[in-house]
């Protein structure tokens, strides 16, 4: 069972974090400490797989605890996640990194983020434990084989032939005495290419790598052996990355030579870079999803989409974002990102700025984009502009923009196209490595555009309704004024009728007197 140590001077925080971990990671045992001193003691005794460490604590804060953990041989390999109260506290993050922190969490801690971060730390710890075990095993093998090397040439041959890593044997002057077969596998160099030559003259190692290795040799002789990585060149000029570990050969207490052990980690590094790029893109998607929700109504959504998409395609790309009016069958260029100073020259060739250009479009011309997938477009800018702009002009613009490849993708809803994106990759641009991420982003953007369109339509309806209400209110006010006028007339007549009745009554009474 994996162990997670949580260090915080506030007991309620420990209870909360423990509850989250127990709920989301039931296979983990949560250890707690209410102070830095207690946390250090628990870390040494329990050897947890990850540590969550609050920065703000009395007497010994999180930075000091982290530094002590990383200075201790028994705990330096344990991943530490610092918990900070301020999301944008760059100064604290820099100080934390200098103290040896592996990651950061910001209060209030979101449960999913906490679980994800712990899982990452557990994977790092597991990988480092495995690497350390392999390193110890390798050290043991090197020691055993080094001893055998000087005892028997026959055993030396067996070691060289069985070794799964590249081995170069140097004498004390730096001359190559021998290489094993794996060196040939790594770089394609044979014994004739390397044996008998000074190590410093080997073409296999570029100057930067050579300098790093010679520095490591000097430290090794002083008893400071390290494992490090350098670049090497194959015989064909291809670049690879190797992990290097050195051992000293001694005889009667005197240095007789150095064994250089090389492990090809090129594919491992590529996988790590790919994973790093994937995590970066996932982070970008999460960020843009939230920003789409929070995007102000007055901000140009098409320009925003273009800028965010360039985060996936790279700076050496130009992004054109277009909308389609389905009722009028008109395609309008709404934003162009990445053109920079070329805008004026392109505008001169087109006769106007490209943003705002409209073209009549037929459904069959763009139907292939209704699948929401990224497509490599081979008909050039002439086809992109629906063959309305002269081909010679389009060719001139492509040359000006240094375009090598063009990709297209559509904004869709239920397989119905309502906009497009065109990606122009320059000749010095990196190849698109994240097509799935681009497609996922464009789906996000499609939803955001639909939301914006609905909001704008709703705004129009509200404005129309307000106008109707205002007109009706005005009409009612006018009628009310008329009603007041009629009421006043009616009240005046009532008064006069009453006056006449009283007068008649008075006359009748007088007539009655005369009759008597």
């Amino acid at each position: 069972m994996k162990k997670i140590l949580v260090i915080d001077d506030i007991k309620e925080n420990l209870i909360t974090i423990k509850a989250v971990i127990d709920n989301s990671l039931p296979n983990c045992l949560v250890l707690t400490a209410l102070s830095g001193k207690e946390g250090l003691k628990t870390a040494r005794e329990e050897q947890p797989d990850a540590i969550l460490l609050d920065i703000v604590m009395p007497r010994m804060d999180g930075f000091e605890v982290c530094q002590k953990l990383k200075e201790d041989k028994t705990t330096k390999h344990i991943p530490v996640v610092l918990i900070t109260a301020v999301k944008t506290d760059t100064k604290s993050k820099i100080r934390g990194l200098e103290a040896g922190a592996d990651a950061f969490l910001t209060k209030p801690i979101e449960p999913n983020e906490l679980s994800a971060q712990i899982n990452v730390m557990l994977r790092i710890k597991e990988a480092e434990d495995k690497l350390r075990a392999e390193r110890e095993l390798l050290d043991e093998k090197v020691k055993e084989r080094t001893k055998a090397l000087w005892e028997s040439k026959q055993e030396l041959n067996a070691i060289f032939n069985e070794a799964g890593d590249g081995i170069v044997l140097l004498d004390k002057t730096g001359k190559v005495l021998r290489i094993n077969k794996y060196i040939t596998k790594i770089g394609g160099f044979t014994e004739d290419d390397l044996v008998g030559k000074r190590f410093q003259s080997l073409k296999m190692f570029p100057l930067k790598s050579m300098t790093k290795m010679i520095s490591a040799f000097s430290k090794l002789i002083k008893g400071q052996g390290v494992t490090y990585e350098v670049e090497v060149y194959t015989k064909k000029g291809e670049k690879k990355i190797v992990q290097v570990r050195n051992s000293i050969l001694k005889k009667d207490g005197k240095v007789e030579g150095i064994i250089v052990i090389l492990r090809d980690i090129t594919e491992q590094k590529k996988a790590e870079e790919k994973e790093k790029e994937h995590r970066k893109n996932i982070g970008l998607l999460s960020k843009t999803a939230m920003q789409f929700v929070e995007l102000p109504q007055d901000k140009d959504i098409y320009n925003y989409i273009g800028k965010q998409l360039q985060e996936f395609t790279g700076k050496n790309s130009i992004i054109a974002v277009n909308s389609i009016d389905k009722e009028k069958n008109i395609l309008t260029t709404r934003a162009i990102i990445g053109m920079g100073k070329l805008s004026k020259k392109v505008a001169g060739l087109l006769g106007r700025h490209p943003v705002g250009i409209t073209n009549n479009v037929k459904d069959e011309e763009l139907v292939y984009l209704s699948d929401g997938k990224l497509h490599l477009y081979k008909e050039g800018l002439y086809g992109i502009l629906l063959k309305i702009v002269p081909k010679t002009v389009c060719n001139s613009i492509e040359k000006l923009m240094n375009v090598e490849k063009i990709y297209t993708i559509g904004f869709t809803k239920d397989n119905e196209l309502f906009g497009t994106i065109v990606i122009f990759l320059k000749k010095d641009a990196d190849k698109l490595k994240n097509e799935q991420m681009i497609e996922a982003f464009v789906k996000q953007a499609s939803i955001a555009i639909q939301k914006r369109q609905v909001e704008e339509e709703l705004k129009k309806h509200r404005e129309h309704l307000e106008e109707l209400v205002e007109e009706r209110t005005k009409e009612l006010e006018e009628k009310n004024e008329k009603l007041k006028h009629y009421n006043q007339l009616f009240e005046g007549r009532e008064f006069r009728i009453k006056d006449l009745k009283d007068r008649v009554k008075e006359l009748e009474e007088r007539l009655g007197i005369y009759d008597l």
Side-chain angles (χ1 to χ4, degrees):
M1 178 176 284
K2 301 292 184 181
K3 297 179 182 179
I4 311 297
L5 172 59
V6 186
I7 306 173
D8 196 314
D9 63 307
I10 299 176
K11 190 172 183 180
E12 290 76 9
N13 291 347
L14 295 177
I15 295 171
T16 301
I17 295 175
K18 184 178 185 304
V20 172
I21 297 175
D22 289 341
N23 182 56
S24 57
L25 300 169
N27 294 325
C28 290
L29 174 64
V30 180
L31 309 171
T32 59
L34 279 167
S35 68
K37 184 177 180 180
E38 182 185 355
L40 290 171
K41 182 175 181 295
T42 303
R44 295 189 192 101
E45 294 175 352
E46 297 292 338
Q47 290 292 301
D49 296 281
I51 297 174
L52 302 180
L53 175 58
D54 189 48
I55 290 178
V56 182
M57 293 190 296
R59 289 182 293 279
M60 189 187 302
D61 64 18
F63 299 119
E64 186 177 354
V65 175
C66 182
Q67 187 171 355
K68 288 182 180 295
L69 287 168
K70 294 302 179 179
E71 290 174 349
D72 192 326
K73 291 182 179 179
T74 63
T75 58
K76 68 179 183 179
H77 59 283
I78 303 173
V80 176
V81 180
L82 285 180
I83 301 175
T84 176
V86 184
K87 187 173 184 181
T88 57
D89 189 0
T90 304
K91 186 176 179 181
S92 293
K93 289 187 177 181
I94 292 173
R95 187 178 173 191
L97 290 171
E98 290 175 346
D102 298 276
F104 297 84
L105 282 173
T106 304
K107 294 179 181 178
I109 300 175
E110 204 278 322
N112 290 336
E113 184 183 5
L114 175 62
S115 301
Q117 193 68 266
I118 290 174
N119 280 324
V120 170
M121 293 301 106
L122 292 178
R123 287 199 298 270
I124 291 174
K125 174 66 163 49
E126 185 176 355
E128 289 183 349
D129 287 347
K130 184 178 179 181
L131 182 61
R132 191 165 59 256
E134 290 178 353
R135 188 179 298 163
E136 291 172 356
L137 180 61
L138 180 60
D139 286 343
E140 188 64 26
K141 286 183 179 180
V142 170
K143 289 177 182 177
E144 294 174 0
R145 292 176 182 177
T146 302
K147 181 181 179 182
L149 175 66
W150 293 103
E151 292 177 349
S152 170
K153 184 177 180 179
Q154 184 177 3
E155 291 181 8
L156 172 63
N157 290 334
I159 292 172
F160 266 55
N161 290 332
E162 293 172 7
D165 295 321
I167 300 177
V168 179
L169 176 61
L170 307 175
D171 69 8
K172 59 184 177 182
T173 67
K175 185 173 71 175
V176 179
L177 298 177
R178 195 169 184 185
I179 65 170
N180 72 341
K181 293 180 180 179
Y182 202 84
I183 291 294
T184 302
K185 184 177 179 181
I186 292 174
F189 294 98
T190 65
E191 288 188 356
D192 292 338
D193 296 320
L194 304 177
V195 175
K197 297 182 179 179
R198 297 275 296 173
F199 178 76
Q200 291 90 332
S201 67
L202 299 182
K203 295 180 179 180
M204 184 177 183
F205 301 98
L207 179 60
K208 185 178 179 180
S209 298
M210 184 67 70
T211 303
K212 191 173 184 178
M213 294 180 76
I214 291 174
S215 174
F217 293 162
S218 300
K219 292 180 180 179
L220 180 66
I221 293 172
K222 296 177 182 178
Q224 302 172 5
V226 292
T227 299
Y228 54 97
E229 298 172 3
V230 296
E231 291 181 351
V232 298
Y233 289 122
T234 67
K235 197 170 183 177
K236 294 181 179 180
E238 299 171 346
K239 185 187 292 185
K240 288 191 174 184
I241 301 174
V242 296
Q243 185 183 75
V244 185
R245 187 161 183 82
N246 308 316
S247 293
I248 295 178
L249 289 173
K250 289 186 178 181
K251 188 176 182 180
D252 299 329
K254 295 181 179 180
V255 175
E256 291 293 328
I258 295 176
I259 290 181
V260 181
I261 301 174
L262 306 176
R263 173 172 293 181
D264 187 356
I265 58 172
T266 306
E267 294 305 316
Q268 175 187 330
K269 283 293 180 182
K270 287 180 180 179
E272 289 174 358
E273 284 299 317
K274 188 175 181 180
E275 176 64 19
K276 182 180 178 181
E277 184 71 17
H278 180 72
R279 288 200 299 267
K280 175 187 173 185
N281 290 331
I282 289 296
L284 278 174
L285 282 176
S286 300
K287 177 183 174 182
T288 53
M290 183 59 67
Q291 288 179 340
F292 273 132
V293 172
E294 299 173 350
L295 195 67
Q297 189 69 25
D298 59 350
K299 190 167 184 178
D300 186 344
I301 191 170
Y302 294 98
N303 192 64
Y304 173 78
I305 289 170
K307 287 182 178 179
Q308 292 302 310
L309 181 56
Q310 200 178 45
E311 294 288 330
F312 293 95
T313 61
K315 295 299 180 183
N316 286 328
S317 62
I318 296 174
I319 312 294
V321 188
N322 311 297
S323 65
I324 297 176
D325 187 327
K326 297 297 291 183
E327 294 182 1
K328 299 178 181 178
N329 289 328
I330 292 177
L331 183 144
T332 304
T333 300
R334 305 296 294 270
I336 295 181
I337 306 300
M339 191 172 289
K341 296 180 180 179
L342 297 177
S343 296
K344 290 185 178 179
K345 293 182 179 180
V346 172
L349 290 168
L350 289 174
R352 59 157 296 170
H353 195 282
V355 174
I357 285 180
T358 60
N359 293 314
N360 290 323
V361 62
K362 298 178 182 178
D363 289 342
E364 57 269 20
E365 291 175 321
L366 300 177
V367 67
Y368 74 98
L369 292 176
S370 61
D371 61 359
K373 301 293 184 181
L374 196 65
H375 296 267
L376 178 62
Y377 192 78
K378 298 182 179 180
E379 295 187 28
L381 185 62
Y382 183 58
I384 291 293
L385 294 176
L386 306 174
K387 301 178 181 180
I388 294 172
V389 177
K391 194 168 187 178
T392 53
V393 174
C394 292
N395 292 340
S396 297
I397 293 175
E398 281 191 36
K399 186 176 180 180
L400 181 66
M401 291 166 52
N402 197 24
V403 174
E404 181 176 35
K405 290 183 179 180
I406 299 175
Y407 290 86
T408 55
I409 189 170
F411 296 121
T412 61
K413 178 184 180 183
D414 300 328
N415 293 325
E416 183 176 346
L417 191 68
F418 62 88
T420 67
I421 289 178
V422 183
I423 303 169
F424 300 92
L425 286 186
K426 299 180 183 179
K427 290 182 180 179
D428 54 351
D430 294 331
K431 181 182 177 183
L432 287 183
K433 301 176 183 177
N434 42 14
E435 294 186 9
Q436 291 182 343
M437 291 297 175
I438 292 173
E439 291 171 357
F441 170 77
V442 173
K443 285 182 181 178
Q444 280 187 350
S446 297
I447 295 171
I449 291 173
Q450 294 169 44
K451 178 176 175 288
R452 174 63 64 86
Q453 289 173 344
V454 170
E455 288 173 347
E456 289 176 352
E457 189 67 26
L458 182 59
K459 182 181 178 182
K460 289 180 182 178
H461 284 303
R462 284 175 177 168
E463 289 175 350
H464 180 62
L465 181 60
E466 288 174 358
E467 289 177 359
L468 290 176
V469 169
E470 187 177 349
E471 290 176 3
R472 184 59 177 164
T473 301
K474 185 176 180 181
E475 182 182 339
L476 290 173
E477 287 176 350
E478 290 176 352
K479 289 183 177 181
N480 189 45
E481 287 297 322
K482 289 181 179 180
L483 184 60
K484 286 182 179 179
H485 177 69
Y486 290 139
N487 284 338
Q488 289 174 354
L489 290 176
F490 180 77
E491 289 174 358
R493 289 174 183 173
E494 284 287 312
F495 179 78
R496 287 194 295 273
I497 292 171
K498 183 177 182 302
D499 186 56
L500 289 172
K501 284 182 177 181
D502 291 342
R503 182 64 177 165
V504 168
K505 184 177 180 182
E506 182 182 347
L507 292 172
E508 286 177 347
E509 288 176 353
R510 287 181 180 180
L511 288 172
I513 295 172
Y514 294 147
D515 289 340
L516 292 174

